[in-house]
Amino acid sequence: MDMRRPIIAGNWKMNKTVSEAVDLVRQLMGLVAEVRDIDIIVAPTFTALHAVSREITGSNIDLAAQDVFWETSGAYTGEISPPMVKDVGCRYVIIGHSERRQYFGETNESVHNKIKASLAVGLRPILCVGEALEEREAGKTFDVIRIQVFQCLDGFSREEMGKITIAYEPIWAIGTGKTATPQQAEEVHAFIREQLGNITHPQVREAMRIQYGGSVNQDNIGDLMAQPNIDGALVGGASLTADSFSRIVKFQKT
Ligand code: PGA
């Protein structure tokens, strides 16, 4: 029996006004209301979190923020703290997405700090890792992933580690329509799980959910989820319509 409950998250990125976000989540709620065996998460922009949170109260959909700062409050113009996203109803927070790393100077160190601050208020971090195309072509995928996993996650207690999910997102597969093959993804997922053995208890390593992200859609989700170490998906483009995201949530393993 699979001990890891599937987790499918929709990362809406910088899309949707408040009313569009409310419309989307209302439609989605209707389409996935019967789903019981999957954790379903949506990650709207900060500006839509509160409104979406009100809509999903009591439903089977959870809320995530797309990022967070590591301080609790203070003179940090433009930033949002973990207690603030908790306050608007987030249960999860995506941390270290490659777009944050690429465009906003996110480093493994800042990611570590953000995970720590999020755990401190009871949020469940979704840590994103993944290699760039040049890194893959240079044969450096495993080195890059090992360093990201180690630097972002080292030093957390067994209990803290139990609250974390990892999303493996090869940068070359994000928004490009170029999905990693299920075998390519599985290879890295298995490697991540093996690496976790160096920093945490074997039970935590086995229980940790590892999501795949990068051009996931209704047609490839089944093959991906059939892999032993792929426990879910982090979906960008295909999470922006209720129809396509609900089809991903209701995937059938092949
Ligand atoms: P995509 O994005 O599904 O549009 O490739 C995935 C992500 O960046 O989380």
Side-chain angles (χ1 to χ4, degrees), residues 13 96-103 106 108 128-136 141 144-145 148 167-180 188 212-215:
K13 307 193 180 183
H97 190 280
S98 63
E99 287 151 17
R100 304 283 333 157
R101 294 177 189 257
Q102 193 178 347
Y103 306 131
E106 198 85 77
N108 290 333
C128 301
V129 299
E131 82 286 1
L133 183 61
E134 311 82 76
E135 292 165 338
R136 175 161 282 263
T141 298
V144 170
I145 301 291
Q148 287 177 338
Y168 168 58
E169 300 204 304
I171 296 170
W172 47 272
I174 296 179
T176 57
K178 255 176 113 179
T179 334
V188 179
Y212 169 78
S215 298

Side-chain angles (χ1 to χ4, degrees), residues 148-169:
Q148 287 177 338
V149 169
F150 187 79
Q151 292 187 348
C152 296
L153 293 182
D154 192 35
F156 290 120
S157 70
R158 181 173 166 178
E159 203 202 334
E160 287 174 320
M161 289 292 281
K163 302 250 161 34
I164 298 170
T165 301
I166 296 178
Y168 168 58
E169 300 204 304

